[in-house]
Every structure is written in C-alpha cells, then in structure tokens.
Amino acid sequence: MKFNRIQTVLACVAIIAAAILAQVLTPRELMARTAASMDLQKIIPQNFGTWTLVPSISPVTPTEPEGYVQPDRFSAKIYSQEVARGYSDGRGNIVMLLVAYGPVQNYRLKSHRPEICYTANGFRVSDKYKSQISYRDGANPIKLTRLTTQRETRLEPVSYWMRVGNDIATGPVESQIIRLKYGLRGMIPDGALVRVSTIGLSPEASFALQDKFIRDLLAAIPPEELKFFIGTPG
C-alpha cells in the first residue's frame, strides 16, 4: 500500500506534534525542594505523650542493598532520609515506627513497602485491607493499609500509608495515578512512607494500639511540619 503525499505530510506532522507534546508534558518542577531542609530525626520526637524511645528496638528494614531503587538525575539533588525507631507506652507494649522519605516518589520507597520489605525478610504477608484513621477532630481521616505479617512464631500486624506529593496513596496503582496527575501539571512529586507495627498482640489489639500511637505522634508533630506526613487529606 502506497502513501500519497498528503498522508505522508500528515504522518510527519503527527510525529512532530507527539514529540513536542512529550517535551511539554515532561515533569520539571521537583516538589522535594520544599522539604530539602527537613531533618526527620529532629522533627519526629523521641518522647511524646505516654510514649518513650526504646533504643534497643529497631523495625524491620530492607536487608539487600540491591533492593533499593536506583537514584536518577532528580533524586540525586536532595538527600533522602529514613527514621526507624521503637517506642514503649509504659505498659509493656511496643510500637515500631519507620518513616522513609524520597525526593522522587519511587526512590528509596519501593523497597520499604511492607509487602516487599517483610517478604524479603522471610515474613508471610496476609489479610491485607484498606482502612482509615481519624487523627484529629474536624480533620479528614487518613487512608491507610493494614496487613498481617508472620515469620515462624512472630506475628507482626502492620499499618502504613504513603504520601505522594500532597496526596495519600494506599497502594502502587494509586501511587502511579497520583504521579500521573502531578506529571500532567509538570511536577515531580516527592514521597514519604509512614509505617507502624507491633508484636505480641492480636491483630485487633495491635491495630487499636497503632491507631493510638499514630494519633499521639501526629499531635506531637509541629503544625508547620504536619503536611510532610499526611499531605492535605481530601
């Protein structure tokens, strides 16, 4: 089948238009610049409410260096951060907290997603479902994901959420949709993962304790820094 001259011209115009459109829609504004000066080690208090730091306890973290997503030309501009701590409520209960930050939403966060992180550490992941928590009167609830992990006799229920730009995502598909939304506006979203877990309690008791911990933690974060953790829930 031979193309006539008009078809050839139209094809060339379409190719050029696609190239121009791709260039125009390429995200260029890095949202991470607004969080570049944050120091999570200082912002996240070591003691708050009835909770006190337990230095000897560390949460599960990725064990294989190759598990991390390789940085790109954007992620190299801003230092990524990670805080992993254990807290006691003074009644013998321990909650483990992990906060991981990446200047580009998928950098250094992919391996921290509990489904990946715990599986890589030999845990079996089950009972995954979406939930939400009201952390303050009058505020919109935070969407989060709950799941149960177990390795031999260690039962560790987990609650987590991911902030992508100013939005909260409960899974990788939602994260991709949010990233696309920002990309169409020429922006590259940063991201944060907030994860809490407990051991020695049933899933029901664990999630109730985790909810209390999350509320107490967010109440202790300076108001001007709260957006880093929860975005702007809608």
Side-chain angles (χ1 to χ4, degrees), residues 1-77:
M1 178 178 179
K2 294 183 179 180
F3 289 95
N4 59 37
R5 183 174 298 179
I6 294 178
Q7 289 175 317
T8 301
V9 171
L10 291 176
C12 292
V13 170
I15 293 173
I16 295 173
I20 294 174
L21 185 61
Q23 183 67 19
V24 170
L25 292 179
T26 299
R28 290 179 172 79
E29 183 179 350
L30 194 65
M31 293 182 69
R33 293 190 182 94
T34 61
S37 61
M38 294 187 64
D39 186 342
L40 290 180
Q41 292 288 351
K42 295 180 179 179
I43 292 174
I44 301 174
Q46 295 189 2
N47 302 290
F48 55 93
T50 62
W51 303 93
T52 57
L53 180 69
V54 184
S56 60
I57 295 179
S58 297
V60 172
T61 57
T63 57
E64 298 295 332
E66 60 268 25
Y68 290 108
V69 178
Q70 292 298 315
D72 59 20
R73 63 191 179 93
F74 296 110
S75 60
K77 295 180 180 180

Coordinates of all heavy atoms in Angstrom, one line a residue, residues 1-77:
M1 N 0.8 -1.2 0.0 CA 0.0 0.0 0.0 C 0.9 1.2 0.0 O 1.8 1.4 0.8 CB -0.9 0.0 1.2 CG -1.8 1.2 1.3 SD -2.9 1.2 2.8 CE -3.7 2.8 2.6
K2 N 0.7 2.1 -0.9 CA 1.5 3.3 -1.1 C 0.8 4.5 -0.4 O -0.4 4.7 -0.5 CB 1.8 3.6 -2.5 CG 2.6 2.6 -3.2 CD 2.9 3.0 -4.6 CE 3.8 1.9 -5.3 NZ 4.1 2.3 -6.7
F3 N 1.5 5.3 0.3 CA 1.0 6.5 0.9 C 1.1 7.7 -0.1 O 2.1 7.9 -0.8 CB 1.8 6.9 2.2 CG 1.5 5.9 3.3 CD1 2.4 4.8 3.5 CD2 0.4 6.1 4.1 CE1 2.1 4.0 4.6 CE2 0.2 5.2 5.2 CZ 1.0 4.2 5.4
N4 N 0.1 8.4 -0.2 CA 0.2 9.6 -1.1 C 0.8 10.7 -0.3 O 1.2 10.6 0.9 CB -1.2 10.1 -1.6 CG -2.2 10.4 -0.4 OD1 -1.8 10.9 0.6 ND2 -3.5 10.0 -0.6
R5 N 1.0 11.8 -1.0 CA 1.8 12.9 -0.4 C 1.1 13.5 0.8 O 1.8 13.9 1.8 CB 2.0 14.0 -1.4 CG 2.9 15.2 -0.9 CD 3.2 16.2 -2.1 NE 4.0 15.5 -3.1 CZ 4.4 16.1 -4.2 NH1 4.0 17.4 -4.5 NH2 5.1 15.5 -5.1
I6 N -0.2 13.6 0.8 CA -1.0 14.2 1.9 C -0.8 13.3 3.2 O -0.6 13.8 4.3 CB -2.4 14.4 1.5 CG1 -2.6 15.4 0.4 CG2 -3.3 14.8 2.8 CD1 -4.0 15.6 0.0
Q7 N -0.9 12.0 3.0 CA -0.8 11.1 4.1 C 0.6 11.2 4.7 O 0.8 11.1 5.9 CB -1.1 9.7 3.6 CG -2.5 9.4 3.3 CD -2.7 8.0 2.8 OE1 -2.0 7.5 1.9 NE2 -3.8 7.3 3.2
T8 N 1.6 11.3 3.8 CA 3.0 11.4 4.3 C 3.2 12.7 5.2 O 3.8 12.7 6.2 CB 4.0 11.4 3.1 OG1 3.8 10.2 2.4 CG2 5.4 11.5 3.6
V9 N 2.6 13.8 4.6 CA 2.7 15.1 5.4 C 2.0 15.0 6.7 O 2.5 15.4 7.8 CB 2.1 16.2 4.5 CG1 2.1 17.5 5.4 CG2 3.0 16.5 3.3
L10 N 0.8 14.4 6.7 CA 0.1 14.2 8.0 C 0.8 13.4 9.0 O 0.8 13.7 10.2 CB -1.3 13.7 7.7 CG -2.3 14.6 6.9 CD1 -3.6 13.8 6.6 CD2 -2.6 15.8 7.7
A11 N 1.4 12.3 8.5 CA 2.2 11.4 9.4 C 3.4 12.2 10.0 O 3.6 12.1 11.2 CB 2.7 10.2 8.6
C12 N 4.0 13.0 9.2 CA 5.2 13.8 9.7 C 4.7 14.8 10.8 O 5.3 15.0 11.8 CB 5.9 14.5 8.6 SG 6.7 13.4 7.4
V13 N 3.6 15.4 10.5 CA 3.0 16.4 11.4 C 2.7 15.7 12.7 O 2.9 16.3 13.8 CB 1.8 17.1 10.8 CG1 1.1 17.9 11.9 CG2 2.2 18.0 9.6
A14 N 2.1 14.5 12.7 CA 1.7 13.8 13.9 C 2.9 13.4 14.7 O 2.9 13.5 15.9 CB 0.9 12.6 13.5
I15 N 4.0 13.0 14.0 CA 5.2 12.6 14.7 C 5.8 13.9 15.4 O 6.2 13.8 16.6 CB 6.2 12.0 13.8 CG1 5.7 10.7 13.3 CG2 7.6 11.8 14.4 CD1 6.5 10.0 12.2
I16 N 5.9 15.0 14.7 CA 6.4 16.2 15.3 C 5.6 16.7 16.5 O 6.1 17.1 17.5 CB 6.5 17.3 14.2 CG1 7.5 16.9 13.1 CG2 6.9 18.6 14.8 CD1 7.6 17.8 11.9
A17 N 4.2 16.6 16.3 CA 3.3 17.1 17.4 C 3.5 16.2 18.6 O 3.5 16.7 19.7 CB 1.9 17.0 16.9
A18 N 3.7 14.9 18.4 CA 3.8 14.0 19.5 C 5.1 14.3 20.3 O 5.2 14.3 21.5 CB 3.8 12.5 19.0
A19 N 6.2 14.6 19.5 CA 7.5 14.9 20.1 C 7.4 16.2 20.9 O 7.9 16.3 22.0 CB 8.5 15.0 19.0
I20 N 6.7 17.2 20.4 CA 6.5 18.5 21.1 C 5.7 18.3 22.3 O 6.0 18.8 23.4 CB 5.9 19.5 20.1 CG1 6.8 19.9 19.0 CG2 5.5 20.8 20.9 CD1 6.2 20.8 18.0
L21 N 4.6 17.5 22.2 CA 3.7 17.3 23.3 C 4.5 16.5 24.5 O 4.3 16.9 25.6 CB 2.5 16.5 22.9 CG 1.4 16.2 24.0 CD1 0.9 17.6 24.4 CD2 0.3 15.3 23.4
A22 N 5.3 15.5 24.1 CA 6.1 14.8 25.1 C 7.0 15.7 25.8 O 7.2 15.6 27.0 CB 6.8 13.7 24.4
Q23 N 7.6 16.7 25.1 CA 8.6 17.6 25.7 C 7.8 18.5 26.6 O 8.3 18.8 27.7 CB 9.3 18.4 24.6 CG 10.3 19.4 25.1 CD 11.5 18.7 25.7 OE1 11.7 17.5 25.4 NE2 12.3 19.4 26.5
V24 N 6.7 19.0 26.2 CA 5.9 20.0 27.0 C 5.4 19.3 28.3 O 5.4 19.9 29.4 CB 4.7 20.5 26.2 CG1 3.8 21.3 27.1 CG2 5.2 21.4 25.1
L25 N 5.0 18.0 28.2 CA 4.4 17.4 29.4 C 5.5 16.7 30.3 O 5.1 16.2 31.3 CB 3.4 16.3 28.9 CG 2.2 16.8 28.2 CD1 1.3 15.6 27.8 CD2 1.4 17.7 29.1
T26 N 6.7 16.8 29.9 CA 7.8 16.2 30.8 C 7.8 17.0 32.1 O 8.1 18.2 32.1 CB 9.1 16.2 30.1 OG1 9.1 15.5 28.9 CG2 10.2 15.7 31.0
P27 N 7.7 16.3 33.2 CA 7.7 17.0 34.5 C 9.1 17.6 34.8 O 10.1 17.0 34.5 CB 7.4 15.9 35.5 CG 6.7 14.8 34.8 CD 7.3 14.9 33.4
R28 N 9.1 18.8 35.3 CA 10.3 19.5 35.5 C 10.5 20.1 36.9 O 11.6 20.3 37.4 CB 10.5 20.7 34.5 CG 10.8 20.2 33.1 CD 10.9 21.4 32.1 NE 11.3 20.9 30.8 CZ 10.5 20.4 29.9 NH1 9.2 20.2 30.2 NH2 11.0 20.0 28.7
E29 N 9.4 20.4 37.6 CA 9.4 21.0 38.9 C 9.5 19.9 40.0 O 8.6 19.1 40.1 CB 8.2 21.9 39.1 CG 8.2 22.6 40.4 CD 7.0 23.5 40.6 OE1 6.3 23.7 39.6 OE2 6.8 24.0 41.7
L30 N 10.5 20.0 40.7 CA 10.8 19.0 41.8 C 10.2 19.4 43.1 O 10.6 20.4 43.7 CB 12.3 18.7 41.9 CG 12.7 17.5 42.7 CD1 12.3 16.2 42.0 CD2 14.2 17.5 42.9
M31 N 9.1 18.8 43.5 CA 8.4 19.2 44.8 C 9.3 19.0 46.0 O 9.1 19.7 47.0 CB 7.1 18.4 45.0 CG 6.1 18.7 44.0 SD 4.5 17.7 44.3 CE 4.0 18.6 45.8
A32 N 10.3 18.2 45.9 CA 11.2 17.9 47.0 C 12.0 19.1 47.5 O 12.4 19.1 48.7 CB 12.2 16.8 46.7
R33 N 12.1 20.1 46.7 CA 12.9 21.3 47.1 C 12.3 21.9 48.3 O 13.0 22.5 49.1 CB 12.9 22.3 45.9 CG 13.7 21.8 44.8 CD 14.0 22.9 43.8 NE 14.7 22.5 42.6 CZ 14.2 22.1 41.5 NH1 12.9 22.1 41.4 NH2 14.9 21.7 40.5
T34 N 10.9 21.8 48.5 CA 10.3 22.4 49.6 C 10.6 21.7 50.9 O 10.3 22.2 52.0 CB 8.8 22.5 49.4 OG1 8.3 21.2 49.3 CG2 8.4 23.3 48.2
A35 N 11.0 20.4 50.8 CA 11.3 19.6 52.0 C 12.8 19.4 52.2 O 13.2 18.6 53.1 CB 10.6 18.3 51.9
A36 N 13.6 20.0 51.4 CA 15.0 19.7 51.4 C 15.7 20.0 52.7 O 16.7 19.3 53.1 CB 15.7 20.6 50.3
S37 N 15.2 21.0 53.5 CA 15.9 21.3 54.7 C 15.4 20.6 56.0 O 15.8 20.8 57.1 CB 15.8 22.8 55.0 OG 14.4 23.2 55.1
M38 N 14.4 19.7 55.8 CA 13.8 19.0 56.9 C 14.8 18.0 57.5 O 15.5 17.3 56.7 CB 12.5 18.3 56.5 CG 11.4 19.2 56.1 SD 9.9 18.3 55.8 CE 9.6 17.7 57.5
D39 N 14.8 17.8 58.8 CA 15.6 16.8 59.4 C 14.6 15.9 60.2 O 14.2 16.3 61.3 CB 16.6 17.4 60.4 CG 17.6 16.4 61.0 OD1 17.2 15.2 60.9 OD2 18.7 16.8 61.5
L40 N 14.3 14.8 59.7 CA 13.3 13.9 60.3 C 13.7 13.4 61.7 O 12.9 13.2 62.6 CB 13.0 12.7 59.4 CG 12.2 13.0 58.1 CD1 12.0 11.8 57.3 CD2 10.9 13.7 58.4
Q41 N 15.0 13.3 61.9 CA 15.5 12.8 63.2 C 15.1 13.8 64.3 O 14.9 13.5 65.5 CB 17.0 12.6 63.2 CG 17.5 11.5 62.3 CD 17.2 10.1 62.9 OE1 16.8 10.0 64.1 NE2 17.4 9.1 62.1
K42 N 15.1 15.1 63.9 CA 14.7 16.1 64.9 C 13.2 16.4 65.0 O 12.7 16.7 66.0 CB 15.4 17.4 64.6 CG 17.0 17.3 64.7 CD 17.6 18.7 64.3 CE 19.1 18.6 64.5 NZ 19.8 19.9 64.1
I43 N 12.5 16.3 63.8 CA 11.1 16.6 63.8 C 10.3 15.5 64.5 O 9.3 15.8 65.2 CB 10.6 16.7 62.3 CG1 11.2 18.0 61.7 CG2 9.1 16.8 62.2 CD1 11.0 18.1 60.2
I44 N 10.7 14.3 64.3 CA 10.0 13.2 65.0 C 10.5 13.1 66.4 O 11.6 12.7 66.7 CB 10.2 11.8 64.3 CG1 9.7 11.9 62.8 CG2 9.5 10.7 65.0 CD1 10.0 10.7 62.0
P45 N 9.6 13.4 67.4 CA 10.1 13.4 68.8 C 10.5 12.0 69.3 O 9.9 11.0 68.9 CB 8.9 14.0 69.6 CG 7.7 13.6 68.7 CD 8.2 13.7 67.3
Q46 N 11.4 12.0 70.2 CA 11.8 10.7 70.8 C 10.9 10.3 72.0 O 10.8 9.1 72.3 CB 13.3 10.8 71.4 CG 14.3 11.0 70.3 CD 15.7 10.9 70.8 OE1 16.0 10.6 71.9 NE2 16.7 11.1 69.9
N47 N 10.3 11.3 72.6 CA 9.3 11.1 73.6 C 8.1 12.0 73.4 O 8.3 13.2 73.2 CB 9.9 11.3 75.0 CG 11.2 10.5 75.3 OD1 11.1 9.3 75.4 ND2 12.3 11.1 75.3
F48 N 6.9 11.4 73.6 CA 5.7 12.2 73.4 C 4.5 11.5 74.1 O 4.5 10.2 74.0 CB 5.4 12.5 71.9 CG 5.3 11.3 71.1 CD1 4.0 10.7 70.9 CD2 6.4 10.7 70.5 CE1 3.9 9.5 70.1 CE2 6.3 9.6 69.7 CZ 5.0 9.0 69.5
G49 N 3.6 12.2 74.7 CA 2.5 11.6 75.4 C 3.0 10.6 76.4 O 3.9 10.9 77.2
T50 N 2.5 9.4 76.3 CA 3.0 8.3 77.2 C 4.1 7.5 76.5 O 4.5 6.5 77.1 CB 1.8 7.4 77.6 OG1 1.3 6.8 76.4 CG2 0.7 8.1 78.3
W51 N 4.5 7.9 75.4 CA 5.5 7.1 74.6 C 6.9 7.5 74.8 O 7.2 8.7 74.8 CB 5.1 7.1 73.1 CG 3.7 6.7 72.8 CD1 2.6 7.5 72.7 CD2 3.3 5.4 72.5 NE1 1.5 6.8 72.4 CE2 1.9 5.5 72.3 CE3 3.9 4.2 72.5 CZ2 1.1 4.3 72.0 CZ3 3.2 3.0 72.2 CH2 1.8 3.1 72.0
T52 N 7.8 6.5 75.0 CA 9.2 6.8 75.2 C 10.0 5.9 74.2 O 9.7 4.8 74.0 CB 9.6 6.5 76.6 OG1 9.3 5.2 77.0 CG2 8.9 7.5 77.6
L53 N 11.1 6.5 73.8 CA 12.0 5.8 72.9 C 12.7 4.6 73.5 O 13.1 4.6 74.7 CB 13.1 6.7 72.3 CG 14.1 6.2 71.3 CD1 13.4 5.9 70.0 CD2 15.2 7.2 71.1
V54 N 12.7 3.5 72.8 CA 13.4 2.3 73.2 C 14.6 2.0 72.2 O 14.4 1.4 71.2 CB 12.5 1.0 73.3 CG1 13.2 -0.2 73.8 CG2 11.3 1.3 74.1
P55 N 15.8 2.5 72.5 CA 16.9 2.5 71.6 C 17.3 1.1 71.1 O 17.8 0.9 70.0 CB 18.0 3.1 72.4 CG 17.4 4.0 73.4 CD 16.1 3.2 73.8
S56 N 17.0 0.1 71.9 CA 17.4 -1.3 71.6 C 16.5 -2.0 70.6 O 16.9 -3.1 70.1 CB 17.5 -2.1 72.9 OG 16.2 -2.2 73.5
I57 N 15.4 -1.4 70.2 CA 14.5 -2.0 69.3 C 14.5 -1.3 68.0 O 14.4 0.0 67.9 CB 13.0 -1.9 69.9 CG1 13.0 -2.8 71.1 CG2 12.0 -2.4 68.8 CD1 11.6 -2.8 71.8
S58 N 14.6 -2.0 66.9 CA 14.7 -1.5 65.5 C 13.6 -2.2 64.7 O 13.6 -3.4 64.7 CB 16.1 -1.6 64.9 OG 17.0 -0.9 65.7
P59 N 12.9 -1.5 63.9 CA 11.9 -2.1 63.0 C 12.6 -2.9 61.9 O 13.8 -2.7 61.6 CB 11.1 -0.9 62.4 CG 11.4 0.2 63.4 CD 12.8 0.0 63.9
V60 N 11.8 -3.7 61.2 CA 12.2 -4.4 60.0 C 12.5 -3.4 58.9 O 11.7 -2.5 58.6 CB 11.2 -5.4 59.5 CG1 11.5 -6.0 58.2 CG2 11.0 -6.5 60.6
T61 N 13.7 -3.6 58.3 CA 14.0 -2.7 57.1 C 14.6 -3.6 56.0 O 15.0 -4.7 56.3 CB 15.1 -1.7 57.5 OG1 16.3 -2.4 58.0 CG2 14.6 -0.7 58.6
P62 N 14.7 -3.1 54.8 CA 15.2 -3.9 53.7 C 16.6 -4.4 54.0 O 17.4 -3.6 54.6 CB 15.2 -2.9 52.5 CG 14.1 -2.0 52.8 CD 14.2 -1.8 54.3
T63 N 16.9 -5.6 53.7 CA 18.2 -6.2 54.0 C 19.2 -6.2 52.9 O 20.4 -6.4 53.1 CB 18.0 -7.6 54.5 OG1 17.3 -8.4 53.5 CG2 17.2 -7.6 55.8
E64 N 18.7 -6.1 51.6 CA 19.5 -6.3 50.5 C 19.7 -4.9 49.8 O 18.8 -4.3 49.4 CB 18.9 -7.2 49.4 CG 18.8 -8.6 49.9 CD 20.1 -9.3 50.2 OE1 21.1 -8.9 49.6 OE2 20.2 -10.2 51.1
P65 N 21.0 -4.4 49.7 CA 21.2 -3.1 49.1 C 20.6 -3.0 47.7 O 20.1 -1.9 47.3 CB 22.8 -3.0 49.0 CG 23.2 -3.9 50.1 CD 22.2 -5.1 50.1
E66 N 20.6 -4.1 46.9 CA 20.1 -4.0 45.6 C 18.6 -3.9 45.6 O 18.0 -3.7 44.5 CB 20.5 -5.2 44.7 CG 20.1 -6.6 45.3 CD 21.1 -7.2 46.2 OE1 21.9 -6.5 46.8 OE2 21.1 -8.5 46.3
G67 N 18.0 -4.0 46.7 CA 16.5 -3.9 46.8 C 16.1 -2.4 46.6 O 14.9 -2.2 46.3
Y68 N 17.0 -1.5 46.8 CA 16.6 -0.1 46.6 C 16.6 0.3 45.2 O 17.3 -0.2 44.3 CB 17.7 0.8 47.3 CG 17.6 0.7 48.8 CD1 18.6 0.1 49.5 CD2 16.6 1.3 49.5 CE1 18.6 0.0 50.9 CE2 16.5 1.2 50.9 CZ 17.6 0.6 51.6 OH 17.5 0.5 52.9
V69 N 15.6 1.2 44.9 CA 15.5 1.7 43.5 C 16.7 2.6 43.3 O 17.0 3.5 44.1 CB 14.2 2.5 43.4 CG1 14.1 3.1 42.0 CG2 13.0 1.5 43.7
Q70 N 17.3 2.5 42.2 CA 18.5 3.3 41.8 C 18.1 4.7 41.7 O 17.1 5.1 41.0 CB 19.2 2.8 40.6 CG 19.8 1.4 40.7 CD 20.9 1.5 41.8 OE1 21.7 2.4 41.8 NE2 20.9 0.5 42.6
P71 N 18.9 5.7 42.3 CA 18.6 7.1 42.1 C 18.7 7.6 40.7 O 19.5 7.0 39.9 CB 19.6 7.8 43.0 CG 20.7 6.8 43.1 CD 20.1 5.4 43.0
D72 N 17.9 8.6 40.3 CA 18.0 9.1 39.0 C 18.6 10.6 39.1 O 19.0 11.0 40.1 CB 16.7 9.1 38.2 CG 15.6 9.8 39.0 OD1 15.9 10.7 39.8 OD2 14.4 9.6 38.7
R73 N 18.5 11.3 38.0 CA 19.1 12.6 37.9 C 18.4 13.6 38.8 O 18.9 14.6 39.2 CB 19.1 13.2 36.5 CG 17.8 13.4 35.9 CD 17.9 13.7 34.4 NE 16.6 13.8 33.7 CZ 16.0 15.0 33.6 NH1 16.6 16.1 34.0 NH2 14.9 15.1 33.0
F74 N 17.1 13.3 39.2 CA 16.4 14.2 40.1 C 16.6 13.8 41.5 O 16.9 14.7 42.4 CB 14.9 14.1 39.8 CG 14.5 14.6 38.4 CD1 14.0 13.7 37.5 CD2 14.6 15.9 38.1 CE1 13.7 14.1 36.2 CE2 14.2 16.3 36.9 CZ 13.8 15.4 35.9
S75 N 16.6 12.5 41.8 CA 16.8 12.1 43.2 C 18.1 12.4 43.8 O 18.3 12.6 45.0 CB 16.5 10.6 43.4 OG 17.4 9.9 42.6
A76 N 19.1 12.6 43.0 CA 20.5 12.9 43.5 C 20.6 14.3 44.0 O 21.5 14.7 44.7 CB 21.5 12.7 42.3
K77 N 19.6 15.2 43.7 CA 19.6 16.6 44.1 C 19.3 16.8 45.6 O 19.8 17.7 46.2 CB 18.7 17.4 43.2 CG 19.0 17.4 41.8 CD 18.0 18.3 41.0 CE 18.3 18.3 39.5 NZ 17.3 19.2 38.8

